[in-house]
Amino acid sequence: MPIRYRIVPEHELVLVHGSGNLRPEDFLESMKSLYSEPDFEPGLRQLCDLREVRQLEGGYESAQDLIARFSAWTPLPAGGRVALVARERHVYGLIRMFEILADPLPPDVRTFEDLDAARRWLDLPEDAPAGV
């Protein structure tokens, strides 16, 4: 599976890892699965490590569609945070566009190139796991 996740309840955290070439459907399938997990809570912090993603399909319309579907599946709590981390410039650009489109809605979405900066922004303790 190109996107994997792990819920870490003791840190109120969801770790997400993506790799390879991703389509919008990959995000939809993984988020549907995540949202159906018994340990999932809408207010959990999410650290999405997309540094191994080489290609993202889609563009503006795909990002708008993803945001609409995510918000329809679960209530989006104020105060929640989602950190998106990418290495490839074109992947970073596309997830940055997603961040901008998601701006009016909770949770707070931020894009990073550095995993440690994302962890600091999420206010994760030192002992919180880093990977799926």
Side-chain angles (χ1 to χ4, degrees):
M1 183 176 211
I3 299 177
R4 300 174 321 210
Y5 62 83
R6 176 170 64 134
I7 299 171
V8 187
E10 62 271 20
H11 290 291
E12 300 177 341
L13 174 65
V14 177
L15 296 169
V16 179
H17 180 267
S19 62
N21 299 330
L22 297 180
R23 305 165 300 134
E25 294 81 16
D26 297 322
F27 286 99
L28 291 172
E29 290 169 15
S30 69
M31 292 300 105
K32 264 180 133 169
S33 177
L34 172 63
Y35 289 4
S36 70
E37 292 283 346
D39 286 339
F40 179 76
E41 296 288 334
L44 295 176
R45 296 173 285 190
Q46 295 185 42
L47 177 60
C48 303
D49 184 353
L50 304 175
R51 294 175 299 163
E52 293 182 13
V53 172
R54 299 295 162 239
Q55 183 67 38
L56 276 179
E57 290 182 17
Y60 181 80
E61 290 177 1
S62 295
Q64 279 188 313
D65 184 54
L66 285 173
I67 291 166
R69 290 185 187 209
F70 291 163
S71 61
W73 286 333
T74 187
L76 299 174
R81 287 188 164 196
V82 178
L84 305 167
V85 185
R87 181 175 291 141
E88 298 287 334
R89 294 305 307 160
H90 65 280
V91 173
Y92 180 89
L94 285 171
I95 64 172
R96 176 75 175 104
M97 179 177 56
F98 180 86
E99 173 190 337
I100 292 167
L101 290 170
D103 185 58
L105 304 171
D108 191 4
V109 177
R110 197 72 53 90
T111 307
F112 297 88
E113 293 178 289
D114 179 69
L115 187 65
D116 290 333
R119 289 177 60 85
R120 283 190 300 275
W121 181 74
L122 288 171
D123 196 28
L124 295 179
E126 293 280 327
D127 65 335
V132 176

